[in-house]
Amino acid sequence: FTNDTCGKLLCPAEWDWDKNCVKAGIRDRTLEYIVSENSWPLFVYENYQCNNDNLKEGFLKSKLLVLAFKAIFMSPSSAREAEGDGDGADILENNRRARWKSEQTKVKTCVASILNMKNMKKVMPRAIAYVVCQVRFTLSSVSSWCTVDGDFDYEVFWNNIVDFFEDVPGPVTRCKVDKLFEWWTRKIFGTNHREDLMPEIVSQMSVNALAEQHKKLEDAAFDLD
């Protein structure tokens, strides 16, 4: 939270980082401003803006998360192709380079090949949770990974994200979560839907429809004979 840009991105969404009392309270770790896994950081929201009256609006739609997902699970070059989000994306990249500069020259394969994820066609909730945790860590001032950073527990935070996707209260929420998955899949893999071409859908398309019409013509001719 020492860096102003990182501080804003890490700031819990329910607080206004631009207020001096919030900045001072977080930096001094006062009782009124405890930063924990019980708050969503601002960087998870689209355009880094949160509507506290509708917390699901823009949730997990940050371009910074998309960039990080591509860098982690696909390749650094695919991340460079992703549209950035200004200072947030720059901070992420600069911090990443500073921490792993010596390792970068040694890395010849991306995480996707190591985890055998090249055939992945849809974004999964636990992959998103992993990315959010990695971005949070990268934006922080901690130099090495630890499960608990001050008052922030990464393991509980990861579970909070997974529960958002997997522990839904009903069909209305499930529909909204599914739409968020569709958004992520489009951002990462594009708009191809070949895997969604189920037999019942294909059967209604013109190729099969024409074949069925031909069959009916033949059956009609056979009946006349």
Side-chain angles (χ1 to χ4, degrees), residues 10 37 132-138 140 142 145-149 152-160:
L10 291 169
E37 69 282 353
V132 175
C133 288
Q134 287 296 327
V135 171
R136 205 272 177 190
F137 167 72
T138 303
S140 74
V142 179
W145 177 264
C146 55
T147 303
V148 178
D149 173 14
F152 191 94
D153 190 314
Y154 277 98
E155 184 175 350
V156 178
F157 185 56
W158 186 87
N159 284 321
N160 288 342

Side-chain angles (χ1 to χ4, degrees), residues 157-174:
F157 185 56
W158 186 87
N159 284 321
N160 288 342
I161 301 168
V162 173
D163 287 345
F164 169 81
F165 288 111
E166 298 182 355
D167 188 19
V168 295
V172 175
T173 308
R174 169 51 59 195

Side-chain angles (χ1 to χ4, degrees):
F1 291 96
T2 303
N3 180 281
D4 197 57
T5 300
C6 289
K8 182 170 185 175
L9 294 172
L10 291 169
C11 182
E14 58 265 34
W15 301 332
D16 185 356
W17 176 258
D18 292 329
K19 293 183 178 179
N20 290 330
C21 62
V22 173
K23 290 183 184 180
I26 291 176
R27 286 169 173 169
D28 295 337
R29 299 183 65 177
T30 63
L31 187 61
E32 292 82 5
Y33 295 101
I34 301 175
V35 178
S36 76
E37 69 282 353
N38 298 297
S39 297
W40 298 119
L42 198 60
F43 74 80
V44 305
Y45 281 93
E46 187 174 22
N47 298 323
Y48 315 131
Q49 296 177 348
C50 173
N51 178 2
N52 282 301
D53 295 323
N54 184 12
L55 287 169
K56 68 178 180 296
E57 181 181 326
F59 181 62
L60 293 176
K61 288 188 173 182
S62 165
K63 291 177 182 175
L64 185 56
L65 294 181
V66 174
L67 183 153
F69 191 104
K70 284 176 171 284
I72 293 171
F73 289 113
M74 301 179 76
S75 68
S77 60
S78 66
R80 287 193 292 270
E81 294 167 2
E83 185 178 358
D85 242 359
D87 291 340
D90 294 338
I91 287 290
L92 177 66
E93 178 64 13
N94 290 339
N95 284 1
R96 183 185 66 82
R97 287 180 178 177
R99 283 179 177 153
W100 293 291
K101 183 177 180 181
S102 61
E103 285 83 2
Q104 291 306 303
T105 56
K106 303 175 185 178
V107 175
K108 300 299 182 183
T109 57
C110 63
V111 173
S113 61
I114 296 172
L115 299 180
N116 195 26
M117 298 180 69
K118 288 185 178 294
N119 293 324
M120 183 171 63
K121 299 300 182 184
K122 292 184 179 181
V123 176
M124 304 305 290
R126 295 175 186 233
I128 296 175
Y130 178 77
V131 168
V132 175
C133 288
Q134 287 296 327
V135 171
R136 205 272 177 190
F137 167 72
T138 303
L139 290 171
S140 74
S141 58
V142 179
S143 59
S144 61
W145 177 264
C146 55
T147 303
V148 178
D149 173 14
D151 298 310
F152 191 94
D153 190 314
Y154 277 98
E155 184 175 350
V156 178
F157 185 56
W158 186 87
N159 284 321
N160 288 342
I161 301 168
V162 173
D163 287 345
F164 169 81
F165 288 111
E166 298 182 355
D167 188 19
V168 295
V172 175
T173 308
R174 169 51 59 195
C175 181
K176 293 184 180 296
V177 168
D178 288 344
K179 288 187 178 297
L180 181 58
F181 278 136
E182 292 176 7
W183 181 90
W184 265 96
T185 299
R186 287 198 308 271
K187 288 292 183 180
I188 301 300
F189 299 109
T191 57
N192 294 331
H193 296 286
R194 187 168 185 82
E195 66 277 7
D196 296 316
L197 288 173
M198 307 305 291
E200 58 270 21
I201 296 175
V202 173
S203 66
Q204 303 299 318
M205 294 181 169
S206 56
V207 170
N208 281 324
L210 177 56
E212 186 64 25
Q213 290 171 8
H214 277 174
K215 184 176 181 299
K216 288 180 179 180
L217 284 174
E218 293 296 330
D219 291 343
F222 179 79
D223 291 340
L224 288 175
D225 293 341

